[in-house]
Amino acid sequence: MAKSDSLHHFQGIDVSQAGSASSIVFETLKQAIITGELKDGTPLKQEELAKKFSTSRIPIRESINRLEQEGLVKTIRYKGAVVASISLKEVEEMFDLRALMEREVMLKAVPNLTDDQIDEAEKYCHEFASAQTSGDWTDTNRKLHHALFQASDMTFHLSVLNTIYDRTERYLRAQLSFSNGADRAVEEHHTLIELCRARDAAGAAELMFQHVKHAKRSLLEFLPQDSE
Protein backbone atom coordinates (compact mmCIF):
# COMPACT_ATOMS: atom_id res chain seq x y z
CA MET A 1 0.00 0.00 0.00
CA ALA A 2 3.08 2.20 0.16
CA LYS A 3 3.07 5.12 -2.24
CA SER A 4 6.24 7.19 -1.91
CA ASP A 5 5.87 10.95 -1.97
CA SER A 6 7.94 13.92 -0.88
CA LEU A 7 7.78 16.78 1.59
CA HIS A 8 7.61 19.37 -1.18
CA HIS A 9 3.97 20.35 -0.58
CA PHE A 10 4.00 19.84 3.19
CA GLN A 11 3.67 23.11 5.12
CA GLY A 12 5.61 23.24 8.35
CA ILE A 13 5.26 25.68 11.25
CA ASP A 14 7.82 28.15 12.59
CA VAL A 15 8.47 26.76 16.06
CA SER A 16 11.62 28.78 16.72
CA GLN A 17 9.81 30.87 19.34
CA ALA A 18 7.74 28.04 20.81
CA GLY A 19 8.22 26.70 24.32
CA SER A 20 8.10 23.05 23.28
CA ALA A 21 9.23 22.67 19.69
CA SER A 22 9.29 18.88 19.92
CA SER A 23 5.62 18.65 20.94
CA ILE A 24 4.50 21.01 18.16
CA VAL A 25 6.53 19.15 15.53
CA PHE A 26 5.19 15.81 16.76
CA GLU A 27 1.53 16.87 16.73
CA THR A 28 1.83 18.57 13.34
CA LEU A 29 3.51 15.58 11.69
CA LYS A 30 1.12 13.15 13.38
CA GLN A 31 -1.93 15.03 12.09
CA ALA A 32 -0.43 15.25 8.60
CA ILE A 33 0.06 11.46 8.55
CA ILE A 34 -3.36 10.65 10.02
CA THR A 35 -5.19 12.85 7.50
CA GLY A 36 -3.15 11.59 4.57
CA GLU A 37 -1.42 14.89 3.84
CA LEU A 38 1.83 12.96 4.15
CA LYS A 39 1.40 9.83 2.03
CA ASP A 40 2.58 6.30 2.72
CA GLY A 41 6.29 5.97 2.04
CA THR A 42 7.05 9.70 2.23
CA PRO A 43 10.67 10.10 3.44
CA LEU A 44 10.91 12.20 6.60
CA LYS A 45 14.25 13.90 6.01
CA GLN A 46 15.43 15.59 9.18
CA GLU A 47 17.30 18.43 7.50
CA GLU A 48 14.35 19.32 5.26
CA LEU A 49 11.87 19.14 8.13
CA ALA A 50 14.11 21.25 10.37
CA LYS A 51 14.01 24.01 7.73
CA LYS A 52 10.22 23.78 7.42
CA PHE A 53 9.79 24.09 11.18
CA SER A 54 12.61 26.65 11.64
CA THR A 55 14.23 24.51 14.30
CA SER A 56 17.20 22.21 14.85
CA ARG A 57 17.25 18.51 14.07
CA ILE A 58 16.87 17.56 17.74
CA PRO A 59 13.07 18.10 18.03
CA ILE A 60 12.66 16.57 14.57
CA ARG A 61 14.53 13.43 15.61
CA GLU A 62 12.58 13.22 18.89
CA SER A 63 9.28 13.57 17.04
CA ILE A 64 10.16 10.91 14.48
CA ASN A 65 11.10 8.52 17.29
CA ARG A 66 7.72 9.11 18.98
CA LEU A 67 5.86 8.62 15.69
CA GLU A 68 7.72 5.36 15.16
CA GLN A 69 6.64 4.17 18.62
CA GLU A 70 3.02 4.83 17.61
CA GLY A 71 3.41 2.85 14.39
CA LEU A 72 2.98 5.86 12.09
CA VAL A 73 6.62 5.92 10.95
CA LYS A 74 9.12 3.19 10.23
CA THR A 75 12.89 3.25 9.62
CA ILE A 76 14.20 1.57 6.48
CA ARG A 77 17.86 0.69 6.09
CA TYR A 78 19.70 3.05 3.73
CA LYS A 79 16.57 5.19 3.36
CA GLY A 80 15.81 6.43 6.85
CA ALA A 81 12.44 7.26 8.36
CA VAL A 82 9.34 7.12 6.14
CA VAL A 83 5.59 7.29 6.71
CA ALA A 84 4.52 3.72 7.51
CA SER A 85 1.91 1.93 5.43
CA ILE A 86 -0.36 -0.87 6.64
CA SER A 87 -0.68 -4.31 5.09
CA LEU A 88 -4.06 -5.90 4.45
CA LYS A 89 -3.29 -8.43 7.17
CA GLU A 90 -2.66 -5.62 9.67
CA VAL A 91 -5.88 -3.85 8.64
CA GLU A 92 -7.83 -7.05 9.22
CA GLU A 93 -6.22 -7.65 12.60
CA MET A 94 -6.76 -4.09 13.79
CA PHE A 95 -10.42 -4.02 12.80
CA ASP A 96 -11.07 -7.43 14.35
CA LEU A 97 -9.52 -6.19 17.59
CA ARG A 98 -11.44 -2.93 17.35
CA ALA A 99 -14.74 -4.79 16.88
CA LEU A 100 -14.14 -6.92 19.99
CA MET A 101 -13.01 -3.99 22.11
CA GLU A 102 -15.80 -1.64 21.07
CA ARG A 103 -18.37 -4.33 21.84
CA GLU A 104 -16.97 -4.66 25.37
CA VAL A 105 -16.78 -0.90 25.80
CA MET A 106 -20.42 -0.49 24.79
CA LEU A 107 -21.52 -3.20 27.22
CA LYS A 108 -19.87 -1.23 30.04
CA ALA A 109 -20.88 2.21 28.81
CA VAL A 110 -24.61 1.92 28.04
CA PRO A 111 -25.82 1.29 31.62
CA ASN A 112 -23.85 4.36 32.77
CA LEU A 113 -24.79 6.77 29.98
CA THR A 114 -26.60 9.93 31.04
CA ASP A 115 -29.25 11.58 28.90
CA ASP A 116 -26.84 14.48 28.31
CA GLN A 117 -24.17 12.12 26.99
CA ILE A 118 -26.66 10.45 24.65
CA ASP A 119 -27.83 13.89 23.49
CA GLU A 120 -24.22 14.82 22.73
CA ALA A 121 -23.73 11.60 20.74
CA GLU A 122 -26.96 12.25 18.85
CA LYS A 123 -25.72 15.74 17.96
CA TYR A 124 -22.62 14.19 16.38
CA CYS A 125 -24.87 11.65 14.67
CA HIS A 126 -26.71 14.50 12.90
CA GLU A 127 -23.44 16.25 12.10
CA PHE A 128 -22.13 13.04 10.54
CA ALA A 129 -25.25 12.74 8.41
CA SER A 130 -24.82 16.30 7.06
CA ALA A 131 -21.04 16.11 6.57
CA GLN A 132 -19.81 16.73 3.04
CA THR A 133 -16.21 15.52 3.13
CA SER A 134 -14.47 12.34 4.21
CA GLY A 135 -12.44 14.35 6.71
CA ASP A 136 -15.63 15.63 8.36
CA TRP A 137 -17.04 12.09 8.40
CA THR A 138 -14.05 10.57 10.17
CA ASP A 139 -13.66 13.49 12.60
CA THR A 140 -17.35 13.43 13.58
CA ASN A 141 -17.41 9.64 13.77
CA ARG A 142 -14.59 9.68 16.32
CA LYS A 143 -16.43 12.31 18.38
CA LEU A 144 -19.61 10.23 18.32
CA HIS A 145 -17.84 7.08 19.47
CA HIS A 146 -15.92 9.03 22.10
CA ALA A 147 -19.13 10.56 23.48
CA LEU A 148 -20.59 7.09 24.04
CA PHE A 149 -17.42 5.35 25.18
CA GLN A 150 -16.47 7.72 28.01
CA ALA A 151 -19.19 6.29 30.25
CA SER A 152 -17.40 2.93 30.18
CA ASP A 153 -14.44 4.28 32.20
CA MET A 154 -12.25 1.75 30.32
CA THR A 155 -9.31 4.09 29.82
CA PHE A 156 -6.83 1.47 28.58
CA HIS A 157 -9.30 0.16 25.99
CA LEU A 158 -9.93 3.71 24.77
CA SER A 159 -6.20 4.39 24.50
CA VAL A 160 -5.71 1.29 22.33
CA LEU A 161 -8.74 2.22 20.21
CA ASN A 162 -7.35 5.71 19.62
CA THR A 163 -4.12 4.17 18.35
CA ILE A 164 -6.10 2.00 15.91
CA TYR A 165 -8.07 5.05 14.73
CA ASP A 166 -4.83 6.95 14.15
CA ARG A 167 -3.31 4.09 12.16
CA THR A 168 -6.32 3.56 9.89
CA GLU A 169 -7.99 6.97 9.50
CA ARG A 170 -6.22 8.03 6.29
CA TYR A 171 -7.40 4.85 4.56
CA LEU A 172 -10.95 5.28 5.84
CA ARG A 173 -11.01 8.83 4.50
CA ALA A 174 -10.04 7.61 1.05
CA GLN A 175 -12.50 4.70 1.17
CA LEU A 176 -15.43 6.89 2.25
CA SER A 177 -14.79 9.21 -0.68
CA PHE A 178 -15.39 6.39 -3.15
CA SER A 179 -18.15 4.32 -1.53
CA ASN A 180 -21.55 4.55 0.12
CA GLY A 181 -20.10 3.56 3.48
CA ALA A 182 -21.19 6.85 5.04
CA ASP A 183 -24.84 6.23 4.10
CA ARG A 184 -24.89 2.88 5.87
CA ALA A 185 -23.09 4.37 8.87
CA VAL A 186 -25.76 7.09 9.20
CA GLU A 187 -28.49 4.44 9.55
CA GLU A 188 -26.46 2.41 12.04
CA HIS A 189 -25.64 5.50 14.10
CA HIS A 190 -29.31 6.41 14.44
CA THR A 191 -30.17 2.85 15.50
CA LEU A 192 -27.30 2.90 17.97
CA ILE A 193 -28.63 6.07 19.60
CA GLU A 194 -32.10 4.48 19.91
CA LEU A 195 -30.62 1.40 21.60
CA CYS A 196 -28.64 3.59 24.00
CA ARG A 197 -31.77 5.56 24.95
CA ALA A 198 -33.53 2.25 25.63
CA ARG A 199 -30.48 1.24 27.73
CA ASP A 200 -30.21 -1.93 25.63
CA ALA A 201 -26.54 -2.63 26.32
CA ALA A 202 -26.47 -6.02 24.58
CA GLY A 203 -28.21 -4.69 21.48
CA ALA A 204 -25.95 -1.62 21.26
CA ALA A 205 -22.84 -3.73 21.78
CA GLU A 206 -23.80 -6.20 19.05
CA LEU A 207 -24.65 -3.39 16.62
CA MET A 208 -21.29 -1.75 17.29
CA PHE A 209 -19.54 -5.07 16.66
CA GLN A 210 -21.30 -5.53 13.32
CA HIS A 211 -20.78 -1.84 12.45
CA VAL A 212 -17.00 -2.21 12.77
CA LYS A 213 -16.97 -5.58 10.98
CA HIS A 214 -18.78 -4.04 8.00
CA ALA A 215 -16.33 -1.11 7.96
CA LYS A 216 -13.50 -3.65 7.81
CA ARG A 217 -15.03 -5.52 4.87
CA SER A 218 -15.69 -2.31 3.01
CA LEU A 219 -12.15 -1.04 3.55
CA LEU A 220 -10.54 -4.35 2.53
CA GLU A 221 -12.55 -4.29 -0.70
CA PHE A 222 -11.32 -0.76 -1.38
CA LEU A 223 -7.62 -1.23 -0.64
CA PRO A 224 -5.18 -2.61 -3.24
CA GLN A 225 -4.88 -6.37 -2.87
CA ASP A 226 -1.09 -6.35 -3.13
CA SER A 227 -0.64 -4.01 -0.15
CA GLU A 228 2.21 -4.97 2.07
Side-chain angles (χ1 to χ4, degrees):
M1 184 180 320
K3 184 183 292 183
S4 183
D5 210 319
S6 71
L7 294 169
H8 179 69
H9 298 292
F10 173 66
Q11 297 296 315
I13 298 175
D14 185 348
V15 298
S16 58
Q17 305 301 317
S20 179
S22 180
S23 294
I24 295 174
V25 171
F26 170 75
E27 291 297 339
T28 303
L29 289 176
K30 180 177 179 178
Q31 194 62 25
I33 293 171
I34 290 173
T35 61
E37 180 182 355
L38 289 177
K39 308 297 183 184
D40 291 359
T42 299
L44 299 178
K45 299 178 180 178
Q46 293 186 27
E47 183 176 0
E48 189 174 350
L49 285 170
K51 290 179 180 178
K52 286 182 175 290
F53 285 99
S54 300
T55 187
S56 69
R57 291 190 185 187
I58 295 175
I60 303 298
R61 183 167 59 250
E62 292 174 347
S63 299
I64 289 175
N65 288 338
R66 289 178 64 187
L67 290 167
E68 188 164 13
Q69 291 172 6
E70 295 197 7
L72 295 172
V73 167
K74 65 179 179 180
T75 300
I76 301 176
R77 184 179 296 182
Y78 306 126
K79 189 173 183 179
V82 301
V83 175
S85 61
I86 306 177
S87 69
L88 291 178
K89 182 175 181 296
E90 288 174 319
V91 168
E92 191 164 9
E93 286 183 18
M94 279 189 275
F95 271 82
D96 285 343
L97 177 59
R98 179 184 158 189
L100 292 170
M101 293 184 71
E102 293 199 14
R103 179 166 60 186
E104 290 302 311
V105 170
M106 286 303 295
L107 280 172
K108 293 280 189 178
V110 172
N112 300 319
L113 281 169
T114 65
D115 289 338
D116 286 343
Q117 288 173 320
I118 298 175
D119 288 344
E120 181 185 12
E122 187 170 31
K123 180 190 72 170
Y124 293 132
C125 185
H126 292 311
E127 289 181 8
F128 183 94
S130 61
Q132 299 297 313
T133 69
S134 59
D136 290 338
W137 284 325
T138 54
D139 289 345
T140 309
N141 186 66
R142 286 183 74 156
K143 291 176 181 177
L144 192 162
H145 284 230
H146 181 78
L148 295 175
F149 291 167
Q150 287 307 297
S152 71
D153 198 31
M154 300 176 74
T155 55
F156 181 76
H157 279 61
L158 299 186
S159 175
V160 173
L161 286 171
N162 278 328
T163 298
I164 294 175
Y165 295 156
D166 288 347
R167 292 286 308 277
T168 58
E169 182 169 321
R170 59 194 186 273
Y171 305 114
L172 285 170
R173 287 187 178 215
Q175 178 252 328
L176 285 170
S177 297
F178 296 97
S179 74
N180 64 349
D183 294 335
R184 180 186 177 112
V186 167
E187 296 178 9
E188 293 176 340
H189 286 161
H190 282 299
T191 303
L192 183 63
I193 296 299
E194 292 174 0
L195 291 168
C196 288
R197 287 203 184 280
R199 300 303 192 273
D200 183 352
E206 182 58 27
L207 176 59
M208 185 64 79
F209 180 83
Q210 296 301 330
H211 176 69
V212 176
K213 284 289 191 177
H214 179 267
K216 181 192 80 169
R217 290 192 296 270
S218 181
L219 182 57
L220 289 175
E221 290 173 1
F222 168 79
L223 293 173
Q225 294 303 302
D226 58 350
S227 300
E228 295 296 341

